[in-house]
Amino acid sequence: MSSDERPTQHSIRDAAAVTHAGGMRATRAFPTNTHSHLDPFVLFERFHIEPDQGFDTHPHAGFEILTYMLEGGMAHGDSLGYESTPRAGDAMRITAGDGIRHSEFPADDAACSGLQLWVNLPADRKELDPSYAEASSDQLPTEERASATVTTVVGEGSPLDLETPMEYLDVSVTGSESGSDAGSWTWEPPATWVGFCFVVSGSGTVDGDEDGAKLEAGQFVTLEGGDSLTLSTETECRVVAVAGEPHGQEIHQRGPFVA
């Protein structure tokens, strides 16, 4: 399918409010009662952890975790012996493989917020040895475009990679200071990949025209293989755009484990 033939209309979906055991709040795109997994992606949410909260040591297996911090810092420790505190703009990847245990707590007695993505492991890689990697904000390539700033969290130039071919972009689109001219950004993942675009802050118009669907913070759209997306805004809109190659296998999630 050529770019001229790609679909240009997208359904806007609302993420759901979730409260984890211990009171930690999240805005979850999927899985929810209305939105299932999105092969190869198991889960995506924006989390908020207050100073007196946190996730005690708990196990994971069968998938990979990518955490991208938006505000504050999060103290991480795991059964491999790694301890780190990613802060706003930093990212870390955990390949749970055949099993890992870790904890997550806010650093510096201050609240923190970030984005967490779970990516399924292909069936023949479920028994991988667990591993950990991290990248600071200055290690993630950032490109200034006409009306957008694009940071590559996973993809070309990033030191982070996963077992699944994918890209993860942090994109800020801005209009003119007067609001008279809209800024826009077009995303065209590989034709065989599946993805989604989640609004972190601000608002925009999907598909780049006056009749396009409005996209607000906490909402998202999904892209099937061959889709593209144009995001426009007269003010400012920050999104994360995530796409990857499907595995073509069912996702069987049982809490912190993915078979």
Side-chain angles (χ1 to χ4, degrees):
M1 180 181 289
S2 70
S3 59
D4 292 339
E5 296 172 320
R6 287 186 171 199
T8 58
Q9 295 300 318
H10 302 283
S11 298
I12 305 299
R13 304 185 182 192
D14 293 320
V18 173
T19 301
H20 293 278
M24 289 73 74
R25 297 175 295 111
T27 303
R28 179 175 294 178
F30 57 86
T32 65
N33 291 334
T34 55
H35 308 310
S36 186
H37 309 289
L38 187 67
D39 179 23
F41 306 115
V42 178
L43 175 150
F44 179 83
E45 66 181 28
R46 178 173 184 177
F47 63 85
H48 302 267
I49 309 177
E50 297 299 323
D52 59 346
Q53 298 175 343
F55 294 92
D56 287 317
T57 301
H58 57 282
H60 289 297
F63 65 101
E64 297 185 275
I65 304 168
L66 185 72
T67 302
Y68 183 53
M69 296 302 298
L70 299 176
E71 300 167 332
M74 188 175 71
H76 158 86
D78 63 42
S79 53
L80 299 178
Y82 290 103
E83 294 184 358
S84 63
T85 305
R87 302 183 184 277
D90 299 341
M92 66 177 186
R93 184 221 75 216
I94 297 172
T95 299
D98 64 3
I100 193 171
R101 297 176 62 84
H102 78 139
S103 61
E104 299 155 301
F105 288 95
D108 309 318
D109 295 320
C112 67
S113 177
L115 303 169
Q116 191 161 103
L117 173 71
W118 293 11
V119 186
N120 197 16
L121 279 168
D124 61 354
R125 300 182 188 176
K126 293 284 185 178
E127 300 302 316
L128 282 176
D129 290 338
S131 63
Y132 172 85
E134 61 186 44
S136 60
S137 58
D138 59 3
Q139 293 177 299
L140 301 177
T142 297
E143 178 185 359
E144 299 289 342
R145 302 183 184 177
S147 53
T149 301
V150 181
T151 296
T152 301
V153 182
V154 177
E156 185 175 359
S158 170
L160 295 177
D161 59 4
L162 286 83
E163 295 294 323
T164 299
M166 61 168 286
E167 68 177 2
Y168 185 125
L169 308 176
D170 176 5
V171 184
S172 293
V173 183
T174 56
S176 64
E177 292 184 3
S178 64
S180 58
D181 296 314
S184 66
W185 171 75
T186 297
W187 184 38
E188 193 170 294
T192 58
W193 288 13
V194 170
F196 62 95
C197 184
F198 176 89
V199 182
V200 175
S201 61
S203 62
T205 301
V206 180
D207 299 324
D209 59 45
E210 294 181 357
D211 298 323
K214 300 297 182 182
L215 193 62
E216 306 281 347
Q219 294 183 316
F220 68 103
V221 296
T222 58
L223 281 72
E224 301 299 329
D227 287 357
S228 64
L229 176 149
T230 295
L231 175 68
S232 299
T233 181
E234 294 181 351
T235 53
E236 184 172 359
C237 188
R238 183 182 182 185
V239 302
V240 290
V242 181
E245 184 176 2
H247 298 151
Q249 65 191 48
E250 291 188 16
I251 295 174
H252 299 284
Q253 181 189 358
R254 300 192 304 275
F257 306 106
V258 182

